[in-house]
Amino acid sequence: MKPCADLSEPSPLTDADYARLAGFRHALRSFLNFSEAAALGVGVGGQQYQALLVVRAMPAAQEMTVSELARQLLIKHHSAVGLVDRLVDQGLLLRQASRDDGRKVELRLTGKGKRVLGRLVGLHRHELEHAGPRLSMWLGQVSRTAESMPEGEP
């Protein structure tokens, strides 16, 4: 969040500001709850779906490593290793020797991983057709609130 222009005397938040922040939080949590349930519905966890999405989104010219996956998911390296282990065990992900450095391991989706991800992405796109406008509306309102919010407040 960008700091307020005048930090010496921040504008007090109004009841409406708090309501907008709560509305955005609710809309975001609703989408995240949908995402978790959709992933579980096809046999993977929410974080596993996110990992598959990140691996698939990596441009073909670049390599997806466990370290990069950890960075993208904002998790620790050892957590990413466990996540990759589970995805490999489920037949959704492959570990391959890096094309550029044989000491590194590159991650690739399997055919099954592509099918599972495709189904989940389709479900998410459909949900975003409905939730997207609501999220966008709340984000617009909350960004106006954030402009008047003291630095460091939620």
Side-chain angles (χ1 to χ4, degrees), residues 18-33:
Y18 284 105
R20 284 191 291 272
L21 289 166
F24 175 70
R25 185 211 58 81
H26 183 262
L28 186 58
R29 291 292 308 150
S30 294
F31 179 74
L32 293 173
N33 283 342

Side-chain angles (χ1 to χ4, degrees), residues 47-48 51 66 69-70 73 75-90 93 95 107:
Q47 194 173 53
Q48 289 175 318
V66 174
L69 181 67
L73 294 179
I75 60 176
K76 296 196 181 298
H77 185 271
H78 70 273
S79 297
V81 169
L83 180 58
V84 167
D85 287 344
R86 290 186 295 281
L87 290 167
V88 168
D89 289 346
Q90 289 178 276
L93 206 59
R95 285 185 173 104
L107 305 174

Side-chain angles (χ1 to χ4, degrees), residues 12 17 22-23 25 32 35 58 72 75 78-79 81 92 98 105-106 109 116 147 152-153:
D17 292 331
R25 185 211 58 81
L32 293 173
S35 182
M58 180 63 75
Q72 290 280 327
I75 60 176
H78 70 273
S79 297
V81 169
L92 302 171
S98 167
V105 174
E106 186 177 340
L109 295 178
V116 167
E147 292 172 1
E153 291 218 10

Side-chain angles (χ1 to χ4, degrees), residues 38-51:
L40 291 173
V42 299
V44 298
Q47 194 173 53
Q48 289 175 318
Y49 162 64
Q50 292 173 36

Side-chain angles (χ1 to χ4, degrees), residues 12-151:
L13 294 177
T14 66
D15 290 345
D17 292 331
Y18 284 105
R20 284 191 291 272
L21 289 166
F24 175 70
R25 185 211 58 81
H26 183 262
L28 186 58
R29 291 292 308 150
S30 294
F31 179 74
L32 293 173
N33 283 342
F34 158 81
S35 182
E36 184 73 26
L40 291 173
V42 299
V44 298
Q47 194 173 53
Q48 289 175 318
Y49 162 64
Q50 292 173 36
L52 294 172
L53 185 60
V54 166
V55 170
R56 174 60 183 86
M58 180 63 75
Q62 296 179 351
E63 293 181 345
M64 175 55 72
T65 63
V66 174
S67 295
E68 179 60 17
L69 181 67
R71 190 183 74 71
Q72 290 280 327
L73 294 179
L74 306 175
I75 60 176
K76 296 196 181 298
H77 185 271
H78 70 273
S79 297
V81 169
L83 180 58
V84 167
D85 287 344
R86 290 186 295 281
L87 290 167
V88 168
D89 289 346
Q90 289 178 276
L92 302 171
L93 206 59
L94 290 173
R95 285 185 173 104
Q96 298 176 327
S98 167
R99 297 168 286 186
D100 300 330
D101 183 347
R103 297 169 295 173
K104 290 184 181 179
V105 174
E106 186 177 340
L107 305 174
R108 295 274 180 221
L109 295 178
T110 64
K112 179 182 177 184
K114 289 176 184 175
R115 287 188 302 278
V116 167
L117 179 60
R119 176 151 165 68
L120 281 168
V121 166
L123 292 169
H124 280 78
R125 286 181 71 186
H126 183 265
E127 178 64 16
L128 280 171
E129 289 173 7
H130 303 288
R134 188 173 63 243
L135 282 164
S136 181
M137 182 268 306
W138 282 115
L139 183 59
Q141 289 188 16
V142 108
S143 59
R144 286 191 298 277
T145 297
E147 292 172 1
S148 66
M149 190 181 301
E151 186 176 0

